[in-house]
Amino acid sequence: MASLSSCSKFVSHDPRVPSKVHHHSHNSNVFFPILSHSGLRFGISQHGSHTKIRTLRSSNHSEALVDSTAQISDVPNLSCLEAIERLKTNRDTQKGKQQFLAMYSSVFGGITTDPAAMVIPIDDHMVHRGHGVFDTAAIMNGYLYELDQHLDRILRSASMAKIELPYNRERIRRILIQTVSASKCRKGSLRYWLSAGPGDFQLSPSGCHQPALYAVVIQDQSPFDSKGIRVITSSIPIKPPQFATMKSVNYLPNVLSKMEAEENGAYAAIWLDSDGFVAEGPNMNVAFVTKRKELIMPSFDYILSGCTAKRVLTLAAELVREGKLGEIKVRNVSVGEGKEADEMMLIGSGVLVRPVVQWDEQVIGDGKEGPVALSLLNLIIEDMKSGPPTVRVPVPY
């Protein structure tokens, strides 16, 4: 696109533009529409001794010339109160299945229960550079499930992302519990972020004033689904191990992978690692039950270490004792072995344990939800409701 200086030079040499306006008073306003060399239309307006260049519509449009300055006036300048009122209106008219009951922000140093106020500064390095990490914890019957396990993971992610902590671990933990308490939510999820914080729009976080902590409580009454699903192999490149093992906000590959699955009538797309072994789904781990009744799960060396997946591996020991499983192994899994398995399942905090009945064109097992997957789902739901204190943190409402 031509620069303004080049446009000015072009206009000054256009024979259709008079170098000086005659026979007009000092206060007159004269406008001359012209064409540029780059497909854009420009105009000259002269008011007394002052000349102004205006950009008009592209010359490949058949519409009449329109002064772009008239379009700008359509955008209102809002006061702070007017902007807040519009935020409230947008929230009221765009309600979905999830409700946002409370948010903590270290920027304003407190908790709000007004969804319109649940905002993040646009100059936060997490917003415009993706320099942030996040994690979650389920809320079940007034308890936070695996809060400490998820909290440990976000602190590891923050260290890997070179994000300093705004507070120590114990204070962050206390803030998260207090946010859930203020929300009065007894079934839903807590999601929280650590970022380099607001400051400027530079690439380096050196201009950020201090790191930030955000947390939001989401109420979702949707029941966990045990219906079998279809998955495909993702064509979206998997993230390199350095980033795949960190739970950062850089989820564009994950989003594109999920969209690819939905566009092909599937629930999720499965990533393979650089050696062609099964890796993970866009936001869940993968596990299989072999014909020898082994529960196998890909190693966490190059993918995200799933808190829910690790808990499932622990709970699966009960199925070994009952004789429903022979062994539990964490190792490399080839695509062929995975597709030939008796059962396949996705495991994560969002889905818990979800049976897979078809991968690409291959039907898994007998094409029905597997008994081991359903047993593991029941075990983890029971663990969320009545598990030991190591995985259930009470919320003081």
Side-chain angles (χ1 to χ4, degrees):
M1 179 178 291
S3 66
L4 182 59
S5 59
S6 65
C7 291
S8 301
K9 181 179 179 181
F10 169 76
V11 168
S12 66
H13 288 83
D14 194 296
R16 292 165 292 179
V17 182
S19 60
K20 186 175 182 180
V21 178
H22 299 284
H23 309 302
H24 291 278
S25 67
H26 179 73
N27 294 324
S28 63
N29 192 355
V30 183
F31 184 75
F32 300 94
I34 63 171
L35 288 176
S36 83
H37 59 332
S38 59
L40 295 176
R41 293 188 178 189
F42 298 91
I44 294 292
S45 63
Q46 184 156 342
H47 184 76
S49 61
H50 299 284
T51 302
K52 179 180 178 182
I53 300 176
R54 297 182 184 178
T55 306
L56 308 177
R57 291 187 185 273
S58 172
S59 61
N60 61 359
H61 288 276
S62 60
E63 302 97 332
L65 293 175
V66 178
D67 186 352
S68 63
T69 58
Q71 303 295 320
I72 296 176
S73 64
D74 294 339
V75 182
N77 290 327
L78 303 176
S79 68
C80 180
L81 291 176
E82 289 172 330
I84 291 174
E85 285 303 315
R86 293 199 176 197
L87 285 172
K88 287 179 177 290
T89 300
N90 286 339
R91 283 296 185 191
D92 290 339
T93 58
Q94 296 177 4
K95 289 184 178 180
K97 293 182 179 179
Q98 296 182 336
Q99 295 185 47
F100 313 132
L101 301 184
M103 176 190 176
Y104 170 84
S105 169
S106 61
V107 174
F108 49 74
I111 299 168
T112 179
T113 57
D114 186 346
M118 298 178 187
V119 294
I120 295 177
I122 196 170
D123 61 335
D124 192 299
H125 220 236
M126 179 171 68
V127 175
H128 63 89
R129 297 297 179 185
H131 195 183
V133 295
F134 77 103
D135 224 298
T136 186
I139 305 167
M140 175 66 80
N141 296 343
Y143 285 78
L144 278 161
Y145 186 65
E146 289 203 300
L147 173 63
D148 289 299
Q149 291 81 352
H150 286 276
L151 185 53
D152 287 341
R153 185 172 65 180
I154 195 176
L155 298 183
R156 290 195 301 269
S157 294
S159 176
M160 295 172 68
K162 297 186 178 180
I163 295 173
E164 296 183 4
L165 302 182
Y167 316 115
N168 62 33
R169 185 190 187 281
E170 185 53 38
R171 186 176 179 188
I172 292 174
R173 186 179 189 272
R174 188 166 62 249
I175 288 171
L176 296 179
I177 294 173
Q178 289 177 348
T179 304
V180 177
S181 178
S183 75
K184 304 191 185 313
C185 178
R186 293 184 174 272
K187 184 178 184 297
S189 63
L190 168 70
R191 187 162 297 193
Y192 42 99
W193 297 259
L194 288 167
S195 83
D200 56 33
F201 290 92
Q202 300 300 320
L203 182 60
S204 168
S206 60
C208 298
H209 306 306
Q210 60 183 16
L213 168 68
Y214 306 104
V216 65
V217 179
I218 306 165
Q219 181 174 271
D220 192 342
Q221 299 295 339
S222 303
F224 293 110
D225 199 340
S226 61
K227 183 179 179 181
I229 55 173
R230 175 177 173 262
V231 299
I232 62 172
T233 303
S234 180
S235 68
I236 306 299
I238 189 172
K239 288 184 281 191
Q242 180 180 358
F243 301 107
T245 55
M246 178 196 323
K247 198 171 178 69
S248 77
V249 298
N250 304 132
Y251 257 45
L252 182 57
N254 309 63
V255 171
L256 293 177
S257 181
K258 176 68 172 177
M259 292 176 67
E260 178 184 32
E262 293 175 343
E263 289 164 359
N264 286 275
Y267 181 84
I270 305 302
W271 269 319
L272 309 181
D273 66 20
S274 58
D275 294 321
F277 291 109
V278 179
E280 60 183 341
N283 62 340
M284 66 282 288
N285 293 98
V286 190
F288 304 87
V289 178
T290 69
K291 297 186 183 305
R292 297 185 299 276
K293 297 303 177 185
E294 295 175 326
L295 177 65
I296 55 174
M297 187 180 294
S299 168
F300 301 113
D301 292 342
Y302 306 117
I303 60 175
L304 187 67
S305 179
C307 294
T308 306
K310 288 184 172 181
R311 186 61 183 166
V312 164
L313 291 174
T314 299
L315 295 174
E318 175 66 24
L319 300 186
V320 174
R321 289 190 291 269
E322 294 176 359
K324 296 179 180 179
L325 282 175
E327 290 184 90
I328 301 170
K329 294 182 178 180
V330 176
R331 61 171 175 79
N332 288 336
V333 182
S334 69
V335 174
E337 184 179 21
K339 290 186 175 182
E340 292 173 2
D342 278 354
E343 295 187 42
M344 178 178 180
M345 63 200 80
L346 303 180
I347 303 173
S349 58
V351 297
L352 294 187
V353 180
R354 191 73 187 267
V356 175
V357 296
Q358 184 176 335
W359 181 3
D360 293 330
E361 303 306 318
Q362 177 67 49
V363 173
I364 304 298
D366 60 4
K368 299 178 181 179
E369 295 83 359
V372 172
L374 295 177
S375 295
L376 290 174
L377 175 60
N378 291 333
L379 282 173
I380 198 164
I381 291 177
E382 184 60 31
D383 196 50
M384 295 173 73
K385 293 179 178 179
S386 59
T390 53
V391 296
R392 296 175 75 239
V393 176
V395 178
Y397 294 99

